[in-house]
Amino acid sequence: MNTFPPVVSVLGHVDHGKTTLLDAIRKSNIANREHGGITQKIGASSVEVSHEGGISRITFIDTPGHEAFSSMRGRGARVADIGVLVIAANDGVMPQTKESIQLLKNANIPYIVAFTKSDLPEAQIEKVKQQLLKEDVIVDSLGGEVPSIEVSAKSGHNVKELLDLILLVFEMNYAQEKEVGKVSENSPLEAVVIESKLDPKSGSRATIVIKNGTISVKDMVGAGSVKGKVRSLVTESGKMVNSATIGDAVEVLGFEGVPSVGSIVRKEGEKETGLVEAPKAVKKQASGEEKLISLILVADTQGSLEAILYSLPERVNVILSKTGDVSEADVIMAKSTGAIILTFNLKLKPDLQKFALLEKVLLKNYAIIYELLDELGDVIEGKALAGMEQLYGAARIQAVFPFEKTQVLGIKVMEGRIAKGDKIRIMRDDIVIGESSVVSLRQGKEIASKAEKNQEAGILISPFLDFSIGDVILSHS
């Protein structure tokens, strides 16, 4: 049994099965909840493993696979003790596989190659091993020093053996460090911020991985220039704990601001040990080209925001970037500067969407980052803003009437207009109920093409949605 859990970074190309493998390990269902099948923020979780007659723990960091997240993958590798390079046996070495190999080498940590999807008929593991040779990665079966293992998340084949291999590599590489006391619960605190955001209800929230020492509730801490007093510590399962120590990943509430991702958390008054070095931010060179688009960018977390900013086309002028919610002040700023507002992974409130519509400000939320980047790229190339959503109107459902085998929605238009043929989104308490279209519209007994602000109408929608009186309808492009 290891005293402290190894911190393991899982890296690899998009859609090679990293999150699905972690699901098999922690028996959760995160992969099915990811938009587009792509992990879009760093997650950290801890699992217990039966090992050599005892119980050991491993802390996993699941890093995104898409190319927009280079800086996030780098951060994951720098925090980890061990890397797991995931390669789909049917796909082989791909662009982000090569990048992940370089990150692991730069981080100078031991790593394991996990060949996923090894049970598929089209799996070509020997061919993939030859591809790895070209990247100067020689796995153990070819006489090299990099351990490798064939796994299947779907069947569970060799998942337990992978966990045993992780613990073995950890013990071989770090046991002496623990024995001589270089890493200790009683050492000065050194933890790395791997994710942070501003929550409108609870304030600043920062996910940290502890590399040395212990953090406790009521500790006075600092991360760079951001100070705070620990109000609470929350595990990935939502459990509140009084303290956390080496190898633990916890969310910290109590910072006065939002700490930068990659910053080092220390207790006030404690000396640095030099064990952890903050990752250096990679910044783009400034471009002298004329800026074509002014943009306000709002994301769910600091890590997502960082990844988008790093990947934006050079001719985009970012006048404001932040985490949290979009405010009316942001809409007014966008109107005064001629900017558009793009958000990532947020729930846009209907009242705010109506306000943006009234002010004629383009506002759109994305669930997948590369779709945001692709659309901005289209604009830079002079194309129309592909799929950019525009709101036409908002209405409230006031009544329901039976009609043949369906129901008529009795609505009152609050802003803009609702017209036959419109795409609509039904909202309830800021939650999207579903998407549909207006197939028929009547005012009184007369067929009409549209209903304007303050007018009432009856509409038929297809496909039918399970609406309720009081729900809000948003008409959009």
Side-chain angles (χ1 to χ4, degrees):
M1 175 179 175
N2 53 289
T3 307
F4 305 115
V7 178
V8 180
S9 181
V10 184
L11 299 93
H13 190 75
V14 61
D15 198 33
H16 273 204
K18 299 181 298 297
T19 305
T20 307
L21 177 60
L22 282 171
D23 286 345
I25 291 170
R26 60 196 177 204
K27 293 182 174 62
S28 65
N29 199 33
I30 291 174
N32 287 344
R33 297 198 298 270
E34 299 287 0
H35 288 285
I38 299 172
T39 305
Q40 308 212 65
K41 58 184 175 181
I42 280 187
S45 55
S46 183
V47 299
E48 291 188 341
V49 183
S50 298
H51 182 67
E52 296 183 350
I55 300 297
S56 296
R57 284 194 307 127
I58 303 175
T59 297
F60 284 96
I61 301 173
D62 179 18
T63 64
H66 185 264
E67 62 186 11
F69 294 85
S70 173
S71 57
M72 295 176 76
R73 280 199 299 279
R75 184 166 64 247
R78 292 294 294 270
V79 173
D81 300 314
I82 298 169
V84 173
L85 178 64
V86 171
I87 308 176
N90 62 328
D91 229 4
V93 173
M94 300 294 280
Q96 280 77 56
T97 315
K98 295 178 181 180
E99 183 195 65
S100 296
I101 291 169
Q102 194 58 50
L103 289 169
L104 287 165
K105 289 181 177 180
N106 291 344
N108 196 28
I109 59 173
Y111 62 96
I112 298 162
V113 174
F115 297 108
T116 56
K117 307 183 184 183
S118 61
D119 54 338
L120 296 179
E122 59 270 29
Q124 300 183 66
I125 291 173
E126 294 308 314
K127 179 181 177 181
V128 180
K129 290 178 182 178
Q130 294 302 314
Q131 292 175 340
L132 285 172
L133 281 176
K134 296 179 181 178
E135 306 303 321
D136 197 28
V137 176
I138 308 172
V139 298
D140 48 4
S141 60
L142 297 182
E145 296 183 353
V146 179
S148 64
I149 188 169
E150 299 174 20
V151 298
S152 169
K154 187 175 181 180
S155 68
H157 175 65
N158 272 352
V159 170
K160 173 63 169 63
E161 286 75 9
L162 172 62
L163 298 175
D164 287 335
L165 184 56
I166 288 170
L167 292 169
L168 176 62
V169 170
F170 180 65
E171 288 162 6
M172 290 174 60
N173 285 274
Y174 297 101
Q176 187 176 0
E177 260 188 11
K178 307 297 188 274
E179 287 172 7
V180 300
K182 184 177 180 181
V183 177
S184 163
E185 293 178 344
N186 300 318
S187 295
L189 173 68
E190 290 179 312
V192 183
V193 178
I194 63 168
E195 196 52 279
S196 59
K197 63 181 178 181
L198 182 62
D199 188 296
K201 294 182 179 178
S202 56
S204 173
R205 305 177 75 102
T207 302
I208 65 170
V209 171
I210 301 167
K211 301 298 293 178
N212 208 358
T214 300
I215 188 170
S216 302
V217 174
K218 297 184 180 179
D219 279 346
M220 302 300 295
V221 294
S225 61
V226 180
K227 308 297 181 184
K229 181 179 181 180
V230 180
R231 295 203 320 266
S232 58
L233 299 169
V234 186
T235 68
E236 81 281 352
S237 62
K239 181 182 178 182
M240 297 183 70
V241 294
N242 289 324
S243 63
T245 190
I246 303 162
D248 290 336
V250 289
E251 190 173 47
V252 180
L253 280 72
F255 282 107
E256 295 170 358
V258 180
S260 298
V261 171
S263 58
I264 307 303
V265 180
R266 294 185 170 91
K267 292 182 189 177
E268 283 191 5
E270 288 189 340
K271 295 181 179 179
E272 297 182 19
T273 66
L275 181 68
V276 181
E277 179 186 354
K280 294 177 176 62
V282 179
K283 296 185 178 180
K284 285 188 171 183
Q285 294 293 324
S287 170
E289 292 184 290
E290 178 188 359
K291 304 298 183 182
L292 295 182
I293 301 172
S294 291
L295 172 65
I296 291 176
L297 180 64
V298 187
D300 59 338
T301 67
Q302 194 71 27
S304 298
L305 187 69
E306 174 187 311
I308 298 170
L309 288 170
Y310 181 80
S311 304
L312 286 176
E314 290 184 344
R315 302 186 76 179
V316 173
N317 177 32
V318 180
I319 62 174
L320 173 66
S321 62
K322 66 175 186 176
T323 61
D325 290 332
V326 180
S327 67
E328 289 192 358
D330 297 332
V331 175
I332 293 170
M333 178 186 290
K335 182 178 182 179
S336 65
T337 57
I340 61 175
I341 304 176
L342 302 185
T343 68
F344 173 70
N345 220 18
L346 301 185
K347 291 178 181 177
L348 298 176
K349 296 179 180 178
D351 287 348
L352 184 76
Q353 291 179 307
K354 286 186 293 181
F355 183 69
L357 175 68
L358 185 66
E359 298 295 332
K360 296 182 172 57
V361 169
L362 206 51
L363 169 64
K364 185 175 182 180
N365 182 61
Y366 292 82
I368 298 177
I369 287 184
Y370 65 74
E371 290 182 356
L372 182 157
L373 297 173
D374 286 349
E375 290 193 353
L376 279 176
D378 287 342
V379 177
I380 297 299
E381 293 173 11
K383 301 177 183 177
L385 197 54
M388 182 60 76
E389 183 176 284
Q390 184 172 356
L391 289 174
Y392 298 132
R396 191 174 299 278
I397 301 174
Q398 295 184 317
V400 55
F401 310 103
F403 177 75
E404 295 180 354
K405 294 182 179 180
T406 185
Q407 292 178 316
V408 174
L409 287 66
I411 65 168
K412 182 172 182 179
V413 182
M414 300 181 291
E415 298 288 347
R417 55 83 171 152
I418 305 293
K420 180 182 176 181
D422 280 353
K423 296 178 184 177
I424 63 166
R425 178 177 301 126
I426 297 184
M427 309 281 295
R428 183 181 305 151
D429 298 328
D430 300 344
I431 304 298
V432 176
I433 302 302
E435 302 274 349
S436 187
S437 297
V438 178
V439 296
S440 177
L441 188 148
R442 289 177 179 263
Q443 290 184 300
K445 295 183 179 180
E446 301 296 321
I447 296 175
S449 61
K450 63 181 178 180
E452 305 278 1
K453 183 176 179 179
N454 294 327
Q455 292 182 341
E456 295 182 344
I459 61 171
L460 289 175
I461 64 172
S462 179
F464 186 79
L465 298 174
D466 187 19
F467 62 87
S468 297
I469 292 175
D471 288 351
V472 171
I473 291 176
L474 298 178
S475 168
H476 61 90
S477 59

